[in-house]
Amino acid sequence: MESSQLKHQKKLTKAFMIEANNPDLKSWVEVPANSDFPIQNLPFGIFSINNASPRAGVAIGNFVLDLSVLSELGFFNQLELADNTVFHKHQLNDFMALGKPVWTAVRNRISELLRDDNPELRDNSDAKRQVLYPLQMVQMHLPVRVGDYTDFYSSIEHATNVGTMFRGKENALPANWLHLPIGYHGRASSIVVSGTPIHRPKGQTKADDADMPTYQPSRLLDFELEMAFIVGQSTQLGESISTKKAEEHIFGMVLFNDWSARDIQKWEYVPLGPFLGKSFASTISPWIVTMDALEPFRVDSPVQDPEVLPYLQYEGKKNFDIHLDVIIQPENGQEKVVCQSNFKYMYWNMAQQLAHHTVNGCNINVGDMCASGTISGKDENSYGSMLELTWRGSKPIAMPDGSERKFINDNDTVVVKGYCKKEGFARIGFGSASGKVFPAV
Amino acid sequence: MESSQLKHQKKLTKAFMIEANNPDLKSWVEVPANSDFPIQNLPFGIFSINNASPRAGVAIGNFVLDLSVLSELGFFNQLELADNTVFHKHQLNDFMALGKPVWTAVRNRISELLRDDNPELRDNSDAKRQVLYPLQMVQMHLPVRVGDYTDFYSSIEHATNVGTMFRGKENALPANWLHLPIGYHGRASSIVVSGTPIHRPKGQTKADDADMPTYQPSRLLDFELEMAFIVGQSTQLGESISTKKAEEHIFGMVLFNDWSARDIQKWEYVPLGPFLGKSFASTISPWIVTMDALEPFRVDSPVQDPEVLPYLQYEGKKNFDIHLDVIIQPENGQEKVVCQSNFKYMYWNMAQQLAHHTVNGCNINVGDMCASGTISGKDENSYGSMLELTWRGSKPIAMPDGSERKFINDNDTVVVKGYCKKEGFARIGFGSASGKVFPAV
């Protein structure tokens, strides 16, 4: 992009940043009360309809807005995008690669087009017919081509719970935990979009009292309530990102269920970390909520003591107040909310995670995904996994149909939901990340 | 590909398999004695020349054969490839995705074109001028777009050495080590092609006697002598690969230096495994040697005791006799071979690694890379890392210029070389994976 154009768009960004989040905005598209997708949200995703090619869309109320057709019809002409084909791609990577000023300018333009006082699209019934589809008619796809996927371990309550169970209360937190946001590389290929069924994984496990391992379907299948951010701006090998610049590299966030087979994980993870206990599937929500939309929900992070090294220090509110629910739906029974947590509990924030991730010069690419690690709070009902909620199965959860859950059963569906809510602001929702567990094949 | 065509190519494969490896074959391209790239090898890579677009090539002697131009000139017409643009791509992924019968058919056709008794290309000086370049004139690129990268830990000598150093001789091998090929997810974005300089990584380390960690350039920078195989055939999520079918998914192999910062790794790796101690860079050799070319060098693997679970059992010779050298070149001094090892020492073979990797249904994609883990042998000079060679720095290596090495110094170049050699067969070489260490930025 040319620098005069960049300047122009930066100006646009500034001017519209607050306007697009203005709670008084209303859309000519009907948005039900309590919708996850009011005009103040405008999350990006990839959808298809009637077996046509997948393309980029934005959610508004119960509808999806087709950005590829909007672009063809010239509604983005004034933005002078460097590449006009980005909304026709099967993933958002090429759009994201255009950079943050463009993400913001496009969101602002969509906001403008959807406002009830703007006749441009509202009164163009021919265009409207071509660009608006009911959400229930479309199929959602993985929104990005994931390069590398990193999983952090950034909730102090989760790390403490797991540590207490496996090493006792005195040694709960590893020695390094308070000094750096522990993370590890995860499997990118098996990240799937909400609605994709999961097969119970098979693998090696070993009972504590057994001499030899056995091969069988996992008996301790679990969810992990997480959120993930998506990298929208790359770095070169050798480059490090400061906490100050980190957020410029983040396009947005999704809900993330890091399915875990606890018995497989337990036997394999020493000394090199989790592998097959996790790599069989991770489920994400289809709509990427932009960092711009989350702006009003910034909150302070927990105080960090001991003080962290300078490269991990930061200024300002780098955490976000995002309510999170996990629901178990039995195949023929009533569902139950088993966990209510919040992203704001995170001890390490995303800016710190990216600063740490790149402090050694590791390069990041557009489409990389970084998950938070299980998000647990202080209350027992805020624990983000069955491992913690049932304390290794010792406190089963009673379901409405009289059955019990220590872990996840075959044919259960696990649904993660998330939303931001605050007096004086519109509700910003994430939709859901849902997956049904099929028996082992 | 249509089934009659597939059948045709399978027949071609069988017929030419032995022929292309025939040690009596000679090429009209001059091949120096002891070249890594005789006509029996024909490794695939991606190269560019004079700033033109990167494209696919095959190494022959001191030359590279341009497959994109060969294809344009019609030399592959008889193969009826499903996609004629695969050799024009910047990575080999689309070529590999055509499947193993095509890999073999293309290699056989190239072998045919290069034979001294075949005038097709030999006597076509116009075509020859367009498709042959001296290796020293071209720039090599990363040959594949890496999806996921997995690092195994499959040398029993390496695992025993490291375990002995950190946990004592009695607890050297983790309890699971003899039952499964331990592996973990690595960072794909920082895999670079031979010749790319490496910056000494910075990060957190903590001295054993210190209360708090510090931030500094790594003091214990190491190489790890590894090899990696490249996935050429994908699976679907939920699918597992048997040891019997595993090799059909492997396109070929490269040399792999898994650079490691031991001090960063030590402080960070509990409990989730290595992260920033490895993710700053991994160096691979540019030429992918096909499994077809390695056929003559199959050998038995070490006997596995205790017996492994049925899904890890296999038949036949699944290991390969590949000599491996590691050389340290000081900036202004004489180089020294510091390690001589062999891929055949691997306790777990590639078929077992793939069977294990997918036993839980984890899907693999074309371009995925699986590294062996450090390849150490029984002799002290066969240890595949400075950590082991100098036994944590306690036995420094004397360099020809009188200096010592406990680990790798700034401005040192580390070169990994590999080749197969056997009475009655042509030498099959891998070229080299080389990287110079620049000071921390």
Side-chain angles (χ1 to χ4, degrees):
Chain A
M1 199 183 305
E2 269 142 20
S3 93
S4 72
Q5 205 184 327
L6 188 68
K7 225 190 271 171
H8 168 67
Q9 275 173 351
K10 277 195 173 157
K11 220 163 67 187
L12 270 181
T13 304
K14 264 245 163 94
F16 280 111
M17 178 79 98
I18 300 159
E19 188 53 21
N21 293 341
N22 183 341
D24 297 330
L25 291 183
K26 290 202 180 350
S27 176
W28 48 261
V29 178
E30 194 197 324
V31 176
N34 249 355
S35 168
D36 276 348
F37 308 129
I39 190 172
Q40 291 81 1
N41 191 348
L42 306 179
F44 290 79
I46 295 288
F47 76 99
S48 63
I49 185 157
N50 296 334
N51 294 320
S53 188
R55 75 278 308 270
V58 151
I60 174 77
N62 292 331
F63 291 85
V64 53
L65 187 68
D66 186 329
L67 301 186
S68 71
V69 176
L70 266 188
S71 160
E72 278 168 23
L73 295 176
F75 285 100
F76 295 134
N77 282 357
Q78 67 211 78
L79 300 180
E80 298 177 37
L81 299 177
D83 178 355
N84 268 316
T85 68
V86 291
F87 299 124
H88 294 73
K89 302 289 172 68
H90 296 195
Q91 291 100 5
L92 292 170
N93 297 59
D94 289 354
F95 165 57
M96 295 191 294
L98 296 178
K100 190 171 173 73
V102 176
W103 314 335
T104 300
V106 167
R107 175 168 175 267
N108 288 334
R109 174 63 180 146
I110 294 168
S111 169
E112 195 176 73
L113 285 171
L114 291 173
R115 277 177 219 176
D116 60 357
D117 57 359
N118 182 349
E120 272 186 275
L121 188 55
R122 184 192 70 195
D123 297 349
N124 185 338
S125 55
D126 190 44
K128 264 163 53 175
R129 213 177 20 247
Q130 294 180 66
V131 299
L132 270 185
Y133 304 103
L135 269 174
Q136 61 195 37
M137 278 181 61
V138 307
Q139 192 194 336
M140 297 305 299
H141 300 265
L142 205 61
V144 297
R145 185 179 59 249
V146 185
D148 281 289
Y149 149 49
T150 300
D151 196 18
F152 284 94
Y153 188 54
S154 289
S155 152
I156 195 166
E157 288 83 5
H158 170 67
T160 304
N161 285 340
V162 172
T164 302
M165 273 184 251
F166 291 101
R167 289 180 297 272
K169 213 165 183 175
E170 282 66 39
N171 305 304
L173 280 187
N176 53 8
W177 203 96
L178 294 168
H179 298 286
L180 53 84
I182 293 179
Y184 69 105
H185 309 293
R187 181 78 189 176
S189 71
S190 53
I191 295 176
V192 296
V193 73
S194 179
T196 309
I198 307 304
H199 282 281
R200 179 176 296 271
K202 293 186 289 190
Q204 274 197 41
T205 60
K206 194 177 90 56
D208 287 338
D209 57 356
D211 286 337
M212 299 286 280
T214 52
Y215 167 72
Q216 63 193 10
S218 168
R219 292 175 181 178
L220 309 179
L221 181 60
D222 203 352
F223 62 82
E224 287 194 333
L225 166 62
E226 307 195 13
M227 295 197 70
F229 69 81
I230 290 157
V231 170
Q233 190 186 320
S234 302
T235 60
Q236 295 296 312
L237 192 66
E239 202 179 319
S240 300
I241 302 175
S242 66
T243 55
K244 194 170 177 182
K245 296 268 186 191
E247 289 182 348
E248 294 173 17
H249 294 266
I250 303 179
F251 176 71
M253 296 179 71
V254 292
L255 305 168
F256 196 97
N257 177 357
D258 182 24
W259 297 95
S260 299
R262 299 297 177 195
D263 39 3
I264 294 173
Q265 184 182 349
K266 187 182 171 194
W267 172 231
E268 75 176 357
Y269 92 103
V270 173
L272 299 184
F275 185 47
L276 302 185
K278 305 272 194 177
S279 66
F280 59 95
S282 311
T283 302
I284 67 168
S285 52
W287 293 107
I288 307 177
V289 176
T290 63
M291 297 318 290
D292 280 353
L294 293 171
E295 251 332 297
F297 304 96
R298 286 185 180 275
V299 289
D300 285 322
S301 298
V303 174
Q304 295 186 327
D305 179 26
E307 190 179 55
V308 297
L309 284 166
Y311 81 92
L312 290 170
Q313 292 171 12
Y314 64 93
E315 285 176 12
K317 296 180 194 294
K318 297 282 190 202
N319 216 331
F320 294 86
D321 182 2
I322 306 171
H323 298 267
L324 298 166
D325 291 340
V326 183
I327 297 143
I328 296 180
Q329 299 174 334
E331 189 164 39
N332 299 307
Q334 210 183 314
E335 67 179 35
K336 176 164 183 165
V337 177
V338 296
C339 160
Q340 294 192 290
S341 190
N342 196 305
F343 186 70
K344 72 180 177 189
Y345 301 146
M346 303 303 294
Y347 188 87
W348 297 99
N349 60 52
M350 295 182 281
Q352 292 180 307
Q353 289 169 345
L354 261 188
H356 184 62
H357 203 321
T358 59
V359 71
N360 67 344
C362 177
N363 55 330
I364 59 169
N365 286 319
V366 171
D368 287 352
M369 214 173 265
C370 292
S372 56
T374 307
I375 304 163
S376 295
K378 286 192 169 51
D379 297 340
E380 284 188 20
N381 76 341
S382 69
Y383 295 170
S385 65
M386 293 298 275
L387 178 70
E388 296 163 83
L389 288 165
T390 71
W391 211 255
R392 286 171 106 169
S394 66
K395 302 175 185 176
I397 292 176
M399 297 293 292
D401 63 3
S403 65
E404 283 187 341
R405 291 292 180 284
K406 295 178 176 175
F407 287 89
I408 302 302
N409 287 2
D410 284 348
N411 302 311
D412 282 352
T413 299
V414 176
V415 184
V416 178
K417 292 188 176 177
Y419 60 94
C420 303
K421 209 173 175 175
K422 185 178 172 182
E423 188 63 32
F425 288 89
R427 172 191 169 105
I428 301 295
F430 284 79
S432 65
S434 163
K436 182 171 179 175
V437 175
F438 284 13
V441 276
Chain B
M1 200 184 306
E2 267 141 21
S3 92
S4 73
Q5 204 185 328
L6 190 68
K7 225 190 270 173
H8 168 66
Q9 275 174 351
K10 277 196 172 156
K11 219 160 71 185
L12 269 180
T13 304
K14 260 241 161 101
F16 280 110
M17 177 80 97
I18 301 161
E19 189 52 20
N21 293 341
N22 183 340
D24 298 330
L25 290 183
K26 289 202 181 347
S27 176
W28 50 262
V29 178
E30 195 197 322
V31 176
N34 250 355
S35 168
D36 276 348
F37 308 129
I39 190 172
Q40 291 81 2
N41 191 349
L42 307 179
F44 290 80
I46 295 288
F47 76 99
S48 64
I49 185 158
N50 296 334
N51 296 320
S53 187
R55 74 277 310 269
V58 151
I60 174 77
N62 292 330
F63 291 84
V64 53
L65 188 68
D66 186 328
L67 302 186
S68 71
V69 176
L70 264 189
S71 161
E72 277 168 24
L73 296 176
F75 285 101
F76 295 135
N77 282 357
Q78 66 210 78
L79 299 181
E80 297 177 37
L81 299 178
D83 178 356
N84 268 316
T85 68
V86 291
F87 300 124
H88 293 73
K89 302 290 172 67
H90 295 195
Q91 291 101 3
L92 292 170
N93 296 57
D94 289 354
F95 165 56
M96 294 192 293
L98 295 178
K100 190 172 174 73
V102 176
W103 315 336
T104 301
V106 167
R107 175 168 176 265
N108 288 335
R109 174 63 179 146
I110 295 166
S111 168
E112 196 176 73
L113 285 170
L114 291 173
R115 277 176 218 177
D116 59 359
D117 58 358
N118 182 349
E120 270 185 277
L121 188 55
R122 184 192 71 194
D123 297 349
N124 185 339
S125 54
D126 189 43
K128 263 165 48 178
R129 212 178 21 247
Q130 294 180 66
V131 298
L132 271 184
Y133 304 102
L135 268 175
Q136 60 195 39
M137 280 180 61
V138 305
Q139 192 194 339
M140 298 305 299
H141 301 264
L142 206 61
V144 297
R145 185 179 58 250
V146 184
D148 281 290
Y149 149 49
T150 300
D151 196 19
F152 284 93
Y153 188 54
S154 289
S155 152
I156 195 166
E157 289 83 4
H158 170 67
T160 304
N161 285 340
V162 173
T164 302
M165 273 183 251
F166 291 99
R167 288 180 297 272
K169 213 166 182 173
E170 283 66 39
N171 304 306
L173 281 187
N176 53 10
W177 203 95
L178 294 168
H179 298 285
L180 53 83
I182 293 178
Y184 69 105
H185 309 294
R187 182 78 189 176
S189 71
S190 53
I191 295 175
V192 297
V193 73
S194 179
T196 309
I198 307 304
H199 283 280
R200 179 176 296 271
K202 293 186 288 191
Q204 274 198 39
T205 60
K206 195 179 89 56
D208 286 338
D209 57 357
D211 285 338
M212 298 287 281
T214 53
Y215 168 72
Q216 61 191 13
S218 168
R219 292 174 180 179
L220 309 179
L221 181 60
D222 203 352
F223 62 81
E224 288 195 332
L225 166 62
E226 307 197 13
M227 296 197 71
F229 69 81
I230 289 156
V231 171
Q233 190 185 320
S234 301
T235 59
Q236 295 295 313
L237 192 65
E239 203 180 320
S240 300
I241 302 175
S242 65
T243 56
K244 193 170 177 181
K245 296 268 187 189
E247 290 182 348
E248 294 173 16
H249 293 266
I250 304 178
F251 177 71
M253 296 179 71
V254 292
L255 305 168
F256 195 98
N257 177 357
D258 182 24
W259 297 95
S260 299
R262 299 298 177 195
D263 40 4
I264 295 173
Q265 185 183 346
K266 187 183 172 195
W267 172 232
E268 74 175 356
Y269 92 104
V270 173
L272 298 183
F275 186 47
L276 302 185
K278 305 272 193 177
S279 65
F280 59 95
S282 311
T283 301
I284 67 167
S285 52
W287 293 106
I288 307 177
V289 176
T290 64
M291 298 317 291
D292 281 353
L294 293 171
E295 244 342 288
F297 304 97
R298 285 185 181 273
V299 289
D300 285 321
S301 297
V303 174
Q304 295 185 325
D305 179 25
E307 191 179 55
V308 298
L309 283 166
Y311 82 92
L312 290 170
Q313 293 171 12
Y314 64 93
E315 284 177 11
K317 295 179 194 297
K318 297 282 190 201
N319 216 332
F320 294 86
D321 183 3
I322 306 171
H323 298 268
L324 298 166
D325 290 341
V326 183
I327 297 144
I328 297 180
Q329 300 174 335
E331 189 165 38
N332 299 306
Q334 210 183 315
E335 66 177 36
K336 176 163 182 167
V337 177
V338 296
C339 160
Q340 294 192 290
S341 190
N342 195 306
F343 186 70
K344 72 180 177 189
Y345 300 145
M346 304 300 294
Y347 187 87
W348 297 99
N349 59 53
M350 295 182 280
Q352 291 180 308
Q353 288 168 346
L354 262 188
H356 184 62
H357 203 320
T358 59
V359 70
N360 68 344
C362 177
N363 55 330
I364 58 170
N365 287 319
V366 171
D368 287 352
M369 213 173 267
C370 291
S372 55
T374 307
I375 304 164
S376 296
K378 286 192 169 50
D379 298 340
E380 284 188 21
N381 75 342
S382 69
Y383 295 169
S385 66
M386 294 298 276
L387 179 70
E388 296 163 84
L389 288 165
T390 71
W391 211 255
R392 287 170 104 169
S394 65
K395 301 177 185 174
I397 292 176
M399 296 295 291
D401 64 3
S403 65
E404 281 187 344
R405 290 292 181 283
K406 293 178 178 175
F407 287 90
I408 303 300
N409 287 1
D410 284 349
N411 301 311
D412 282 351
T413 299
V414 176
V415 185
V416 178
K417 292 188 175 177
Y419 59 94
C420 304
K421 210 172 174 177
K422 185 177 172 181
E423 188 63 34
F425 287 87
R427 172 191 168 103
I428 301 295
F430 283 79
S432 65
S434 164
K436 183 172 179 175
V437 175
F438 284 12
V441 276

